[in-house]
Amino acid sequence: MAIRKVGVVGCGLMGSGIAQVAAAAGFETVVREVTAELLDKGLKSIEKNLNRLAEKGTITEAVKGEIRGRLKGTTKVEELKDCDVIVEAIIEQLAAKRELFGALDVICQTSTIFASNTSSLTITEIANATKRPQRFVGLHFFNPVPMMKLVEVVRTIATEPAVYEEIVAFGARLGKTPVRAHDTTGFIVNRLLVPYLLDAIRALEEGVGSIEDLDNSMKLGCGHPMGPLTLLDFVGLDTTYYISQIMFDEFKERRFAAPPLLKRMVLAGWNGRKSGRGFYDYSDPQNPRAMKF
Ligand code: 3HC
């Protein structure tokens, strides 16, 4: 099957990035959000990204126009009915994802391949809300999607090998390096990243170093683009807390357990960059200041 038309459900941080890369890779792309306001916000962020690329000369104005021309926003799930692949990037809640895919299963042609961008939920448990678990995969992108070169392609025990290979190739056509993962909680990246991030919080709790020193150590000592506490603020403390709970529930290992400080910061609403405060204070976004605990 040739993939021509891509559907993306959710036009938030991840969905808008996925829609952008799909349209930029030459696919006719339809992105769906629940309300016109959320859709408008997502499309504006794509517009901003494309303008930045054009200003830098990475793409020409003509190419920008072509990408825009391939991208359509909608609030109607029915408009996804003739897509060859649908990538879901909605709220990270099992019930919401199952409900969405149950509805898409009825609307879409039987050949459509379904993919979830979930970072921590079990793909098999989402897939079994449909009658096509053999045409269901995980397609996990990284934030910011247009910049990060990786996509994890996840197969379940029910995924048909030919469908899986098609989606691995699709990941490459999106300009990403696909890695092959099984449907184990956290896949590859979060299996390794989450214990590292949680350990950085534990190190802070134990007085191993200050926020700036922990971050600078990994940035300058190991060449990471962001230190772990900056990365936690970037990913979202609420998101990391949620993922850690799912991983701890699955593996029952201390390395996946949320440190008390993370829980308290989430309870206080200090969710990182998006809430203006996390391990750093973002009142002046260009000049974040480390918090004092
Ligand atoms: N969208 C699109 N492009 C963006 C962007 C965004 N949100 N933010 C930055 N960029 C682009 C800039 O335009 C710039 O492009 P250029 O090199 O062509 O000029 C480039 O990224 C570098 O930007 P900056 O100079 O402003 O800043 P940095 O050099 O610090 O790079 C970064 C920003 C790419 C975010 C880099 O800091 C980085 O790679 N950080 C680590 C991000 C990471 O680890 N992400 C994965 C998180 S884990 C995850 O998503 C999984 C989930 O399940 C938890």
Side-chain angles (χ1 to χ4, degrees):
M1 187 187 88
I3 296 173
R4 288 195 189 85
K5 187 166 178 182
V6 176
V8 179
V9 192
C11 197
L13 192 65
M14 299 303 285
S16 62
I18 297 166
Q20 180 186 323
V21 297
F27 296 101
E28 190 188 339
T29 306
V30 187
V31 58
R32 185 255 181 178
E33 246 312 345
V34 273
T35 66
E37 291 74 30
L38 288 173
L39 179 64
D40 191 48
K41 193 173 165 213
L43 292 176
K44 279 200 174 117
S45 91
I46 296 175
E47 184 69 18
K48 199 173 142 202
N49 279 343
L50 293 178
N51 285 340
R52 194 165 53 194
L53 291 173
E55 278 158 23
K56 281 189 312 205
T58 312
I59 56 172
T60 62
E61 285 294 328
V63 167
K64 186 173 92 180
E66 284 165 25
I67 297 172
R68 270 212 217 101
R70 284 192 288 268
L71 186 63
K72 184 181 172 205
T74 182
T75 54
K76 296 192 187 76
V77 82
E78 292 74 22
E79 293 208 27
L80 302 170
K81 68 173 190 296
D82 58 346
C83 289
D84 301 308
V85 176
I86 294 184
V87 185
E88 164 276 314
I90 65 166
I91 186 168
E92 194 70 347
Q93 279 175 6
L94 180 64
K97 290 184 195 286
R98 284 178 55 87
E99 191 185 332
L100 170 73
F101 278 114
L104 287 171
D105 199 29
V106 176
I107 295 165
C108 295
Q109 51 208 2
T110 51
S111 58
T112 305
I113 299 173
F114 289 167
S116 173
N117 178 55
T118 185
S119 55
S120 53
L121 296 172
T122 302
I123 303 294
T124 310
E125 204 172 355
I126 309 173
N128 72 15
T130 74
K131 293 193 178 69
R132 64 181 83 194
Q134 71 284 1
R135 300 188 77 73
F136 206 113
V137 293
L139 208 50
H140 183 216
F141 293 86
F142 296 84
N143 178 27
V145 179
M147 289 303 299
M148 305 308 283
K149 292 285 171 218
L150 189 77
V151 65
E152 290 179 311
V153 189
V154 184
R155 64 177 176 278
T156 75
I157 52 172
T159 308
E160 226 170 65
V163 169
Y164 185 68
E165 292 310 323
E166 206 164 341
I167 294 298
V168 170
F170 173 65
R173 282 180 68 193
L174 292 178
K176 305 297 177 195
T177 298
V179 288
R180 293 160 183 266
H182 290 283
D183 186 21
T184 52
T185 304
F187 316 131
I188 298 173
V189 170
N190 280 333
R191 176 76 169 257
L192 301 176
L193 178 66
V194 170
Y196 159 69
L197 294 178
L198 299 180
D199 236 5
I201 304 175
R202 281 189 263 273
L204 181 68
E205 284 177 328
E206 290 164 20
V208 173
S210 66
I211 291 174
E212 296 99 324
D213 285 349
L214 288 169
D215 271 350
N216 275 333
S217 298
M218 294 312 290
K219 216 175 136 177
L220 306 178
C222 295
H224 292 192
M226 289 175 168
L229 302 170
T230 301
L231 184 55
L232 275 155
D233 278 358
F234 182 72
V235 168
L237 271 61
D238 50 344
T239 306
T240 309
Y241 182 53
Y242 181 77
I243 297 173
S244 76
Q245 285 178 307
I246 292 181
M247 297 190 80
F248 184 75
D249 191 47
E250 177 81 1
F251 299 113
K252 307 283 189 296
E253 290 176 28
R254 183 182 181 267
R255 64 198 169 115
F256 299 112
L261 177 60
L262 175 60
K263 178 177 172 184
R264 278 149 187 78
M265 289 176 77
V266 173
L267 288 172
W270 296 9
N271 289 328
R273 203 182 276 206
K274 64 186 168 191
S275 67
R277 195 187 317 196
F279 290 100
Y280 292 83
D281 179 333
Y282 297 90
S283 321
D284 174 5
Q286 301 312 318
N287 186 24
R289 281 182 300 109
M291 298 290 293
K292 300 271 177 271
F293 294 108

